[in-house]
């Protein structure tokens, strides 16, 4: 559901919608869907054999629900024997629970079931779901219809004995329409939107991309989750108090899996994107009631006769379904049974995963709605397409969303309103982001010696929002309202609209992003900078040599040095290079071009580090090519027989820093390091790893550096412009929390290759190294964010150093790094003028040029909370919340951090419910349309390795992930917390497109298919045990499942369409991510599968993380507590 809502997009309720007239849609009106197995059941639009269907009244879409009043039902009562129209029949939309909630397997093109006929089992899996008895009252019936608020009819006639669908009493036939309000997941599919919804939990062949629910953002209206007719701008989720089934009353308490925020005795509740083990058959806590499934297959479970005995619900809005209960299997008890044979009574059923907001659906809808048009930035406060959508940006005065994304594009006018909503106001800024080739890079503007034109008072830079007055002789600052004289050389006349005549000729007047050439006043010590230097510092201790790492690095550097970054039109890079090797002592190399052989100088006094040579240490690659090549040949030989196992670390950074100081330039250190630095030297560390601290108040010490030495060293590095990139190759604990301090505070990166092995890890390491050396980077950078009166930047997250409250300092800033800035009110804002941000980055380019990069963004301001909630961006919100929480663990127990996250999100949603949603029963969970994925994504953050580690997650892993996430952009956190899962067997080998993604849950996997899961760090290829032999042969080049090797780190290159397609997909994903992902082959039922299941984030995790369904119920409970 993309978020860009104007006041009310989407057709008015009463009009038919595109692709919806009479439901006669392509692939819905009985024509088979391409690629979908034919089914024996009648097509959707014909009457079902055996049931009479009421004729839908003309004009069948219903009017908007008025506040709380029931939607008018056309036709008050049905003659007995007629089926309530809204129940099943047309479209898969039985408001809420998809029509196949019966325990039948069904083929993907969902058709109604014939009475009494058992479905043919489909060759794929049936995902055992067992359903409770059917409802006894209309209220109940609609309760599974997921609570369409259908008036206040109270009919309580028992259902006719043999039929499992609702009683033939006065159910208003909801005029053949599934609430057309964009309600929940059930908005119509238009032809372009892919297959009809399939309710995946019923065991369709997962081959077909299951899109639970239907496109949501076709009308940007509120969604209610299991499909309640929603109040505008809200997503409702199934009522949350399940009526007891016969004989099994369930208290409305919340046992079941421990939910985040509950204290639980027993094993530590922690662990991230982890592993959901199949639940035992009766205590259903995972999203799949039914027998435990390793690979989900087998005959469909028996169907059941109706059983009366449900309590009445209140107020006709089909009351509350309670949160997860002890031993309850699932959601709406009692599903219509389509006249099937009686069988044993089922265990109670749980909330249907298909009736709750689906990330995949939202992503697909945004792609189809917003992927085709360019995003033009001329309008204030526009919400951009999602990060998962491919779109072109046309800069017309606001910075591209590739540079800045905000949590909300319409911010509250007052601080009281902001406090009330609890929505954090933040921007995720990526100042040097890479643009796609079809977009224009920021123009470089040179104003000569006078430099950029700025406001006299607040020093904001000239931008499109400045107002020229007095015929163009002065301008009024849009940030502080101060009036400044226009310098004579910059003067230009105004046209009749008050715009300067040269408006379109000047990037700074017409574009959101541009660069100024900085004058000498913007340089250190008032002199222009020298070109930067790269220093390669290689650990040559026993571990590094023995693993083949030293030889690999030296081989790679021979060719890589020709690819140092350079300005667009330059022949060669001006960056100079130097080399150091080290173990307990440091070896410097003189590679001056006039030498025949390189010379080595050893510094063994590591306590007082100095650089033993000035001339010949930093050199131009082309001039010293032969000497460098000779050195790189000799290093592996020189240390081949080393027995030295100890290393130092801080002196290595000090050496690099001193070298850059001596050369009077900024630069980057590339340090390749293998072990905990225990040798006697400054910055020496001890092994303090202690798993016993997890879940105690001392757990925070695991994330803190063990000495302040490195903080001081980082400060010195930033002052010199010395950025550190650290490549770690640990075989055991090496204290990433401490070693990472300098890279982190200098704006550098950390790469970690645990248990590095040449054959499996060299591709990943070399690709990371090449990209790291070649990517665009700015040195000696300072960033400041200015805002218009009313808000100010108060908090910053990312890899940088701050010596005061306003300036973000980075020794280096590359194209992948983001800085997240939070804003707070310091005054009132006005709806008319909106709010402005200007991010100014001063940096030295890789050619040694001092530049200013400016990004401007204008936001709307609102006095109504509904406008705030209509213009939020959940992906950016999650990016901010994750960073906020990951910083929180440095000072608070992890449990406190988790509880605070849950509480803040509950407050955000409760405020919406209280102030923006139209009245409805407390049993409904109502979510704002553009925040309906907040619960699922928040649960992923809570289950992540940092906040809830499983037993196999090391302390170093957690510190590494914590630092990594802190400078991720929105696209990276999106796929990191909710990985992308693609069914490879569904890929079209003839097209360039990816197969449609599916939801991250084990019940979506079929034994007969191969899936790819990526999260930005790893790519898993999961192979089901029943995959056809031909596919295995085509992809792996072996003849059977058992012969597939887990040790593969790349897919074999085979000459067949399937192999080519899968490799193309892998390559395509690798290019999209800033790090080269490790490829891991996982065979179903193999030991590696536990690791893979860790990333199926909608399921329960082994470390106690809740499933999506359970967490949603938990959030609902929290919201209700806040509201009551």
């Amino acid at each position: 559901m993309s978020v860009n809502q104007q006041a009310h997009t989407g057709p008015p309720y009463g009009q038919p919608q595109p692709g919806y007239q009479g439901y006669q849609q392509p692939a819905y009106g009985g024509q088979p869907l391409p690629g979908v197995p034919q089914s024996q059941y009648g097509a959707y639009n014909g009457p079902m054999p055996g049931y009479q269907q009421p004729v839908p009244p003309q004009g069948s879409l219903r009017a908007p629900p008025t506040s709380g009043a029931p939607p008018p039902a056309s036709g008050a009562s049905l003659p007995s024997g007629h089926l309530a129209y809204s129940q099943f029949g047309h479209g898969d939309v039985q408001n809420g629970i998809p029509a196949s909630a019966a325990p039948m397997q069904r083929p993907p093109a969902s058709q109604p079931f014939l009475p009494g006929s058992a479905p043919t089992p489909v060759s794929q899996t049936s995902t055992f779901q067992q359903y409770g008895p059917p409802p006894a009252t209309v209220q109940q019936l609609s309760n599974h219809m997921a609570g369409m608020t259908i008036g206040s009819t109270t009919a309580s006639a028992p259902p006719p004995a043999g039929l499992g669908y609702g009683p033939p009493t006065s159910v208003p036939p909801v005029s053949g329409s599934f609430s057309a309000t964009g309600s929940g997941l059930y908005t119509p599919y238009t032809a372009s939107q892919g297959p009809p919804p399939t309710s995946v939990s019923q065991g369709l062949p997962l081959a077909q991309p299951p899109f639970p629910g239907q496109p949501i953002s076709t009308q940007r209206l509120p969604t209610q989750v299991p499909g309640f007719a929603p109040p505008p701008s809200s997503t409702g989720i199934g009522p949350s108090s399940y009526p007891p089934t016969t004989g099994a009353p369930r208290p409305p308490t919340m046992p079941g899996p421990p939910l985040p925020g509950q204290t639980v005795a027993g094993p530590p509740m922690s662990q991230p994107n982890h592993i959901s083990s199949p639940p035992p058959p009766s205590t259903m806590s995972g999203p799949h009631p039914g027998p435990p499934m390793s690979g989900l297959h087998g005959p469909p479970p028996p169907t059941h006769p109706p059983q009366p005995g449900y309590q009445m619900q209140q107020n006709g809005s089909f009351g509350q379904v309670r949160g997860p209960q002890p031993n309850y299997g699932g959601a709406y008890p009692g599903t219509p049974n389509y006249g099937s044979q009686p069988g044993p009574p089922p265990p109670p059923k749980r909330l249907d995963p298909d009736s709750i907001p689906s990330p995949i659906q939202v992503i697909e809808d945004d792609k189809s709605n917003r992927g085709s048009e360019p995003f033009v930035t001329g309008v204030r406060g526009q919400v951009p397409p999602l990060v998962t959508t491919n779109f072109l940006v046309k800069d017309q005065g606001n910075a591209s969303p590739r540079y800045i994304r905000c949590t909300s594009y319409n911010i509250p006018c007052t601080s009281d309103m902001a406090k009330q909503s609890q929505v954090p106001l933040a921007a995720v800024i990526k100042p040097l982001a890479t643009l796609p080739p079809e977009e224009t890079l920021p123009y470089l503007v040179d104003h000569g010696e006078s430099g950029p034109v700025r406001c006299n008072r607040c020093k904001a830079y000239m931008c499109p929002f400045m107002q020229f007055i007095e015929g163009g002789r002065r301008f009024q600052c849009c940030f502080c309202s101060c009036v400044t004289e226009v310098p004579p050389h910059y003067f230009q006349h105004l046209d009749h609209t008050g715009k300067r005549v040269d408006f379109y000729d000047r990037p700074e007047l017409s574009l959101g992003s541009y660069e100024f050439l900085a004058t000498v006043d913007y340089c250190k010590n008032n002199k222009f900078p020298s070109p930067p230097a790269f220093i390669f510092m290689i650990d040559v201790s026993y571990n590094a040599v023995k693993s083949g790492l030293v030889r690999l690095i030296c081989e790679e550097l021979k060719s890589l040095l020709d690819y140092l970054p350079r300005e667009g039109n330059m022949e060669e890079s001006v960056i100079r290079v130097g080399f150091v090797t080290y173990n307990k002592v440091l070896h410097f190399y003189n590679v001056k071009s006039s030498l025949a052989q390189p010379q080595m100088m050893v510094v063994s006094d590591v306590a007082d580090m100095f650089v033993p040579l000035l001339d010949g240490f930093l050199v131009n690659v082309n001039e010293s090519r032969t000497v460098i090549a000779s050195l790189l040949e000799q290093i592996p030989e020189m240390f081949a027989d080393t027995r030295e196992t100890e290393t130092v670390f801080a002196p290595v950074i000090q050496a690099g820093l001193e070298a850059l100081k001596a050369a009077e330039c900024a630069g980057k250190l590339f340090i390749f390091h293998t072990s905990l630095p225990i040798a006697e030297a400054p910055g020496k560390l001890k092994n303090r790893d202690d798993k016993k601290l997890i879940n105690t108040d001392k757990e925070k010490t695991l994330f803190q550096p063990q000495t302040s030495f490195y903080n001081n060293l980082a400060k010195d590095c930033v002052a010199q412009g010395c950025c550190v990139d650290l490549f770690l190759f640990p075989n055991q604990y090496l204290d990433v929390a401490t070693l990472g301090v300098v890279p982190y505070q200098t704006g550098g990166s950390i790469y970690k290759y645990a248990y590095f092995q040449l054959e499996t890890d060299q591709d990943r390491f070399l690709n990371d190294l090449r990209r790291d050396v070649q990517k665009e980077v700015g040195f000696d950078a300072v960033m400041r964010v200015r805002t218009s009166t009313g808000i100010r930047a108060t908090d910053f997250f990312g890899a940088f150093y701050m010596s005061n409250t306003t300036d973000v300092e980075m020794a280096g800033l590359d194209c992948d790094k983001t800085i997240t800035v939070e804003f707070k009110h310091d005054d009132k804002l006005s709806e008319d003028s909106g709010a402005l941000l200007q991010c100014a980055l001063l940096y030295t380019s890789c050619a040694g040029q001092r530049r200013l990069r400016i990004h401007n963004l204008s936001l709307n301001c609102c006095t109504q909370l509904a406008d705030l909630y209509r213009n939020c961006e959940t992906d950016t919100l999650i990016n901010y919340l994750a960073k906020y929480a990951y910083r929180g663990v440095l000072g608070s127990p992890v449990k406190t951090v988790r509880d605070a996250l849950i509480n803040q999100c509950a407050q955000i949603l409760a405020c919406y419910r209280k102030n923006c949603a139209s009245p409805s029963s407390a049993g409904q969970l109502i979510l704002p349309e553009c925040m309906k994925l907040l619960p699922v994504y928040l649960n992923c953050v809570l289950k992540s390795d940092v906040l809830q580690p499983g037993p196999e997650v090391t302390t170093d892993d957690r510190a590494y992930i914590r630092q990594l996430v802190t400078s991720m952009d929105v696209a990276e956190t999106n796929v990191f917390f909710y990985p992308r899962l693609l069914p490879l067997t569904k890929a079209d080998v003839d097209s360039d497109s990816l197969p449609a993604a599916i939801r991250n849950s084990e019940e979506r996997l079929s034994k007969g298919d191969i899936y790819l899961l990526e999260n930005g760090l790893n790519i898993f290829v999961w192979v089901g045990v029943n995959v056809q032999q031909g596919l295995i042969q085509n992809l792996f080049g072996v003849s059977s499942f058992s012969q597939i090797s887990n040790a593969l780190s790349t897919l074999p290159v085979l000459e067949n369409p399937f192999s080519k397609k899968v490799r193309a997909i892998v390559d395509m994903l690798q290019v999209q991510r800033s790090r080269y992902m490790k490829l891991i082959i996982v065979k179903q039922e193999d030991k590696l599968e536990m690791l893979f299941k860790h990333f199926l984030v909608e399921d329960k995790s082994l470390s106690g993380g809740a499933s999506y369904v359970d967490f949603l119920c938990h959030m609902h409970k929290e919201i209700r507590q806040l509201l009551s």
Side-chain angles (χ1 to χ4, degrees), residues 283-326:
T283 36
M284 302 298 175
S285 42
H288 28 254
M293 320 165 253
S294 48
L296 335 176
H297 66 302
T303 42
H304 317 293
Q307 297 181 339
Y310 283 70
Q311 69 187 36
M312 283 285 292
Q313 309 286 322
Q314 61 264 308
N315 80 11
S317 70
F318 321 122
Q320 316 152 334
V321 180
R322 289 185 204 108
Q325 322 292 294

Side-chain angles (χ1 to χ4, degrees), residues 186-214:
Y186 300 117
T187 2
Y189 259 91
T190 50
S192 64
Q193 276 155 339
T198 44
S199 125
V200 181
S201 52
Q202 311 331 95
L204 61 142
L206 263 182
Q208 183 208 0
F211 288 168
Q214 297 163 354

Side-chain angles (χ1 to χ4, degrees), residues 1063-1107:
R1063 284 181 287 115
I1065 289 174
V1066 170
D1067 293 345
M1068 184 168 151
L1069 299 180
Q1070 293 286 22
V1071 170
Q1072 288 175 11
R1073 305 292 168 216
S1074 61
R1075 290 172 181 242
Y1076 195 83
M1077 295 180 279
K1078 180 176 185 170
L1079 182 77
I1080 301 168
I1081 307 293
V1082 179
K1083 291 154 71 175
Q1084 187 178 1
E1085 295 165 10
D1086 188 70
K1087 58 183 186 300
L1088 268 175
E1089 201 182 23
M1090 292 310 260
L1091 178 61
F1092 172 75
K1093 286 181 182 175
H1094 177 100
F1095 298 98
L1096 298 175
V1097 291
E1098 288 197 23
D1099 297 341
K1100 274 175 64 170
S1101 70
L1102 281 188
S1103 51
S1107 69

Side-chain angles (χ1 to χ4, degrees), residues 719-1021:
Q720 180 55 41
C722 167
C723 173
V724 178
D725 279 358
L726 180 56
F727 293 80
L728 294 171
F729 305 87
N731 290 330
Q732 55 197 14
Y733 177 74
L734 48 57
D735 202 347
V736 173
T738 307
L739 298 188
V741 168
V742 178
Y744 185 65
Q745 294 191 13
T746 58
S749 307
I750 306 177
Y751 298 83
K752 181 165 156 290
Y753 311 88
Y755 308 109
F756 177 82
Q757 286 181 310
L758 219 50
E759 54 282 5
T760 53
D761 297 312
Q762 80 170 29
D763 273 354
R764 182 164 60 112
F765 163 57
L766 293 180
N767 275 287
D768 282 343
L769 177 60
R770 286 169 196 152
R771 190 163 192 280
D772 197 58
V773 167
Q774 295 174 41
K775 68 185 171 189
E776 184 187 354
V777 58
F779 295 95
D780 239 334
V782 183
M783 185 181 103
R784 182 176 282 192
V785 178
R786 293 180 174 83
T787 52
S788 53
T789 313
I791 52 170
R792 62 195 171 88
T794 54
D795 209 351
F796 301 85
F797 304 83
F800 52 74
Y801 174 77
M802 291 189 82
S803 52
N804 57 33
T805 56
T806 55
D807 295 340
V808 174
E809 300 174 47
M810 293 154 289
L813 171 69
D814 64 50
C815 55
D816 298 322
K817 294 281 183 305
T818 61
I819 293 95
T820 301
V821 185
E822 185 179 9
F823 303 97
K824 290 261 181 1
H825 286 77
D826 56 7
D827 204 346
K828 280 197 174 67
L829 293 163
S830 90
E831 282 188 286
D832 297 339
S833 52
L836 301 174
L837 319 177
Q838 183 178 78
C839 160
L841 176 78
L842 174 65
Y843 71 101
T844 302
S845 75
C846 53
Q849 204 177 48
R850 201 71 176 147
R851 296 182 178 181
L852 285 151
R853 179 168 288 202
I854 313 294
H855 297 297
N856 302 289
L857 186 63
S858 59
L859 302 173
N860 286 329
C861 297
C862 57
T863 51
Q864 299 298 317
L865 282 164
D867 292 328
L868 163 69
Y869 283 101
R870 202 174 284 130
N871 292 280
C872 286
E873 234 251 307
T874 300
D875 293 322
T876 310
L877 188 56
I878 287 291
N879 178 286
Y880 164 84
L881 290 171
K883 290 172 180 176
Y884 185 78
Y886 281 16
R887 185 175 68 184
V889 298
L890 291 172
S892 310
V894 172
K895 181 174 184 322
T896 311
V897 173
R898 293 163 49 82
D899 291 349
L901 264 186
I902 293 173
N903 184 43
Q904 179 165 6
C905 289
Q907 285 188 316
I908 291 172
L909 297 174
C911 172
Y912 174 79
R913 174 68 189 256
K914 183 175 167 194
N915 299 291
C916 311
S918 36
S920 56
S921 86
Q924 279 175 268
L925 170 52
I926 297 181
L927 302 171
E929 174 63 13
C930 53
M931 280 191 192
K932 66 184 179 195
L933 297 181
L934 187 60
V936 63
Y937 287 163
L938 177 68
N939 191 33
C940 297
V941 174
L942 293 168
K943 286 157 62 163
S944 64
D945 289 330
V946 174
L947 299 182
Q948 198 169 26
E952 73 296 344
V953 179
T954 66
T955 306
D956 276 345
D957 285 334
R958 297 177 73 195
Y960 173 62
I961 294 295
R962 195 190 77 75
Q963 293 200 4
L964 203 57
V965 168
T966 306
S967 44
M968 277 186 182
D969 71 13
V970 180
E972 288 170 320
T973 50
N974 175 277
V975 77
F976 178 76
F977 290 115
Y978 192 92
R980 176 149 62 160
L981 181 58
L982 305 173
L984 294 179
T985 18
K986 300 294 166 286
D988 177 356
V989 291
D990 300 321
S991 92
D992 293 340
S993 60
L994 291 173
I998 60 174
R999 291 171 65 172
N1000 282 317
S1001 171
E1002 191 177 355
E1003 65 178 30
R1004 310 276 167 180
L1005 303 180
S1006 139
K1007 281 189 169 183
D1009 285 321
I1010 302 175
Y1011 298 87
L1012 178 148
L1013 181 143
E1014 63 128 353
N1015 74 337
L1017 297 183
N1018 298 303
I1019 289 181
F1020 293 92
V1021 174

Side-chain angles (χ1 to χ4, degrees), residues 53 348 352 364 411 728 742 946:
Q53 301 218 16
D352 174 6
E364 289 301 322
I411 60 182
L728 294 171
V742 178
V946 174

Side-chain angles (χ1 to χ4, degrees), residues 677-757:
I678 54 174
E680 214 39 71
K684 169 187 172 181
L685 300 178
K686 57 182 191 292
N687 186 338
R688 52 161 186 165
D689 190 15
D690 188 356
K691 281 275 175 101
K692 292 199 286 297
L693 297 182
I694 292 180
N695 290 329
T696 68
D697 284 355
K698 290 210 177 121
E699 183 172 6
K700 58 182 182 238
T701 59
L702 297 175
F703 296 110
Q704 299 164 352
Q706 57 173 286
T707 156
S708 62
F709 181 87
Y710 288 94
N711 295 72
N712 298 326
L713 181 54
K715 183 176 169 184
D716 297 341
C717 287
V718 172
Q720 180 55 41
C722 167
C723 173
V724 178
D725 279 358
L726 180 56
F727 293 80
L728 294 171
F729 305 87
N731 290 330
Q732 55 197 14
Y733 177 74
L734 48 57
D735 202 347
V736 173
T738 307
L739 298 188
V741 168
V742 178
Y744 185 65
Q745 294 191 13
T746 58
S749 307
I750 306 177
Y751 298 83
K752 181 165 156 290
Y753 311 88
Y755 308 109
F756 177 82
Q757 286 181 310

Side-chain angles (χ1 to χ4, degrees), residues 478-494:
C478 50
F479 295 95
C480 70
S481 304
C482 171
V483 173
T484 301
E485 293 285 332
V486 172
H489 72 89
Y490 197 69
F491 174 78
Q492 185 53 271
H493 296 285
L494 308 185

